[in-house]
Amino acid sequence: MTPERTAPRSYAPLTEEERRRRAESTGGEPMLDSAAANDSESTAYIGYHHVDVLLGLQHPRTGEPAELPFYITGQIQELLFKLLFTEVNRIRDLLLADDLDEALRHLRRVEGVQRVLTTTWESLSTITPTEFAAFRDQLGSASGVQSYMYRQLEFALGNKPNTASFPSCWPHAPQSDANPGRCGGDH
């Protein structure tokens, strides 16, 4: 059964007049009554970050308790790879524009994101081999080396591996005659 996905809630920013009236009515204090603040059943935070959609993206295939931490950690890593990829490309563009100060500022951000990414492995290290084995078969041929965003980041950083190292059935594999690739059970 596929869970029903909800579309992100629409959001219309307040006008300056609406913001002024709201600030006057609350004495400048934040509104904690989300329904009153947004004329909806949500909060501005949930709407902006699409938390309702984000929390609906976890679909473990077993009831094994260790699968959810594994699953969510993998999703977090993919999001961090995307952020790193975006920042690395921004830094490249800033360097090409000879804007060294701004490039260094973004490079410091990259350093912080890499620290967060590194710490994600700590939670995975708490999954025992027995726990992992309990849901590993449900992953099929899935492997972390199939990460699309990791490959994009790797490429942006200059690592352009030989096309023969990628099975051609991977959606992000470079295509060439020298890359016959293997997937599924034929390796």
Side-chain angles (χ1 to χ4, degrees):
M1 174 192 295
T2 304
E4 185 177 317
R5 292 191 180 166
T6 58
R9 292 182 177 92
S10 63
Y11 172 74
L14 296 176
T15 65
E16 286 302 316
E17 178 60 24
E18 290 168 326
R19 186 172 288 129
R20 186 190 59 72
R21 275 188 272 136
R22 183 173 290 172
E24 285 175 3
S25 72
T26 65
E29 294 295 317
M31 291 187 71
L32 300 178
D33 179 0
S34 62
N38 297 298
D39 298 323
S40 72
E41 295 179 18
S42 186
T43 66
Y45 179 88
I46 290 170
Y48 178 80
H49 290 290
H50 304 291
V51 173
D52 48 349
V53 175
L54 181 65
L55 296 178
L57 295 176
Q58 291 72 49
H59 306 285
R61 296 179 178 173
T62 71
E64 295 297 329
E67 186 180 8
L68 189 59
F70 178 83
Y71 197 103
I72 290 174
T73 301
Q75 290 181 323
I76 290 167
Q77 289 172 336
E78 289 298 322
L79 290 171
L80 292 171
F81 290 146
K82 179 179 181 177
L83 180 55
L84 288 170
F85 174 76
T86 303
E87 290 296 325
V88 163
N89 284 309
R90 182 172 288 124
I91 291 166
R92 180 205 56 220
D93 294 344
L94 289 165
L95 290 173
L96 289 172
D98 206 26
D99 191 348
L100 185 59
D101 289 338
E102 192 67 8
L104 288 172
R105 189 175 72 76
H106 285 274
L107 194 55
R108 284 188 290 277
R109 180 178 296 153
V110 163
E111 179 187 19
V113 174
Q114 285 180 311
R115 270 190 257 121
V116 171
L117 180 60
T118 300
T119 63
T120 63
W121 291 100
E122 292 175 20
S123 65
L124 290 178
S125 73
T126 66
I127 299 173
T128 68
T130 302
E131 288 176 313
F132 184 69
F135 64 86
R136 175 59 183 101
D137 287 345
Q138 293 299 312
L139 301 178
S141 64
S143 170
V145 293
Q146 296 170 339
S147 167
Y148 179 73
M149 284 314 304
Y150 179 80
R151 293 290 181 196
Q152 292 293 319
L153 175 60
E154 191 176 43
F155 193 83
L157 290 171
N159 186 15
K160 298 172 174 86
N162 180 338
T163 59
S165 66
F166 292 93
S168 61
C169 61
W170 289 2
H172 54 282
Q175 299 300 310
S176 77
D177 292 335
N179 182 15
R182 292 187 182 127
C183 287
D186 53 319
H187 50 278

